[in-house]
């Protein structure tokens, strides 16, 4: 069963709880994009916002850390109520971060950029819950999907299935009704979508349209 993760990056931060409510009926997780202005050239939100959001929703908070120093902030995210943190493999050995996340009872995510080879994340497949594929260069919402990422996704799908692993494959960037079916066919379990959902007049309907496009076999006839 595929999942939709609306990215609050494209929501109106001034009324975040209301924005979450608008999408809640069609959201399986909420994707939280944390950017520090160093790892990526944009600055967004951090653990204090997760802490404020936590009492307003029981949705899974899927925190994507695009920051140089995730190790300094994991404790804050755990205490704020994050269900998982996803760290970039480009920063170096993620194992010490995995251990810290597990100690806090968080699920563990690992993410790689479009140009990072799949080989960089394969050694960790047995140790993670979520493998995230960036299908845009991280930093901004509203960019175009990079289709070359699909080859990596297909290869990972095959490996995960062959080994019988429980890791979920998530894809992030440029997901809309046109790209969702391609990503789902390549093996994605979780589709992150920001601008296509929150810039729509009805975010829940937009999320449902993406879900139905991705997994049409689940649409009641
Ligand atoms: C980009 C973020 C994405 C972003 C996706 O760095 O990681 O999660 O919100 O936005 P869209 O869906 O607009 O490409
Ligand atoms: Zn993201």
């Amino acid at each position: 069963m595929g999942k939709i993760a609306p990215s609050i990056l494209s929501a109106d931060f001034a009324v975040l709880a209301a924005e979450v409510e608008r999408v809640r009926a069609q959201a399986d997780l909420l994707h939280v994009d944390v950017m520090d202005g160093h790892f990526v050239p944009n600055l967004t939100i951090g653990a204090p916002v997760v802490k404020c959001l936590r009492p307003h929703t029981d949705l899974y908070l899927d925190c994507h850390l695009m920051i140089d120093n995730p190790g300094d902030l994991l404790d804050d995210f755990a205490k704020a109520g994050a269900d998982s943190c996803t760290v970039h493999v480009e920063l170096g050995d993620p194992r010490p971060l995995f251990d810290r996340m597990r100690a806090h009872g968080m699920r563990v995510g690992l993410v790689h950029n479009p140009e990072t080879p799949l080989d960089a994340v394969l050694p960790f497949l047995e140790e993670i819950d979520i493998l995230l594929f960036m299908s845009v260069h991280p930093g901004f919402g509203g960019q175009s999907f990079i289709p070359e990422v699909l080859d990596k996704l297909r290869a990972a799908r095959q490996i995960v299935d062959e080994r019988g692993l429980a890791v979920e494959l998530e894809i992030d960037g440029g997901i809309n009704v046109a790209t969702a079916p391609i990503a789902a066919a390549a093996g994605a379990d979780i589709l992150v979508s920001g601008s296509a959902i929150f810039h729509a007049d009805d975010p829940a309907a937009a999320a449902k349209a993406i879900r139905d496009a991705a997994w049409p076999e689940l649409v009641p006839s």
Side-chain angles (χ1 to χ4, degrees):
M1 180 87 103
K3 297 178 182 174
I4 301 291
S7 168
I8 61 170
L9 180 63
S10 291
D12 182 346
F13 286 166
V15 287
L16 200 45
E19 292 279 80
V20 169
E21 193 55 31
R22 289 175 78 204
V23 81
R24 187 184 52 80
Q26 287 295 327
D28 300 297
L29 313 79
L30 273 187
H31 186 81
V32 180
D33 284 310
V34 178
M35 306 186 189
D36 66 354
H38 293 273
F39 184 73
V40 290
N42 194 9
L43 184 63
T44 58
I45 56 174
V49 173
V50 172
K51 186 178 177 189
C52 290
L53 201 50
R54 185 72 284 175
H56 290 277
T57 182
D58 54 10
L59 283 170
Y60 180 112
L61 298 178
D62 168 39
C63 298
H64 174 194
L65 305 188
M66 288 161 275
I67 58 179
D68 273 343
N69 58 338
D72 293 348
L73 296 172
L74 284 179
D75 296 358
D76 290 350
F77 277 96
K79 285 187 198 130
D83 291 283
S84 58
C85 284
T86 296
V87 294
H88 272 267
V89 74
E90 292 82 9
L91 292 169
D93 182 10
R95 285 199 172 102
L97 302 175
F98 296 168
D99 293 343
R100 300 258 308 282
M101 289 188 239
R102 295 278 182 218
H104 277 297
M106 287 193 288
R107 295 178 80 237
V108 170
L110 184 65
V111 50
H112 59 315
N113 284 334
E115 53 288 317
T116 299
L118 186 64
D119 283 350
V121 294
L122 289 182
F124 306 107
L125 272 190
E126 264 90 2
E127 299 160 57
I128 61 179
D129 300 298
I130 296 171
L131 178 61
L132 176 56
F133 293 75
M134 288 310 301
S135 43
V136 297
H137 298 292
F140 300 93
Q143 303 181 75
S144 296
F145 185 79
I146 299 173
E148 286 75 16
V149 171
L150 292 166
D151 287 341
K152 291 195 293 181
L153 181 54
R154 282 188 207 97
R157 177 80 273 158
Q158 191 173 350
I159 293 166
V160 165
D161 290 349
E162 277 170 8
R163 296 188 197 168
L165 301 175
V167 59
E168 294 183 289
L169 304 182
E170 180 178 32
I171 189 163
D172 181 9
I175 296 293
N176 53 39
V177 286
T179 53
I182 310 168
D189 300 299
I190 306 173
L191 303 177
V192 176
S193 180
S195 53
I197 290 178
F198 283 106
H199 292 175
D201 290 338
D202 182 342
K208 183 172 189 327
I210 290 171
R211 183 192 303 281
D212 292 351
W215 299 290
E217 66 278 13
L218 301 178
V219 180
S221 51

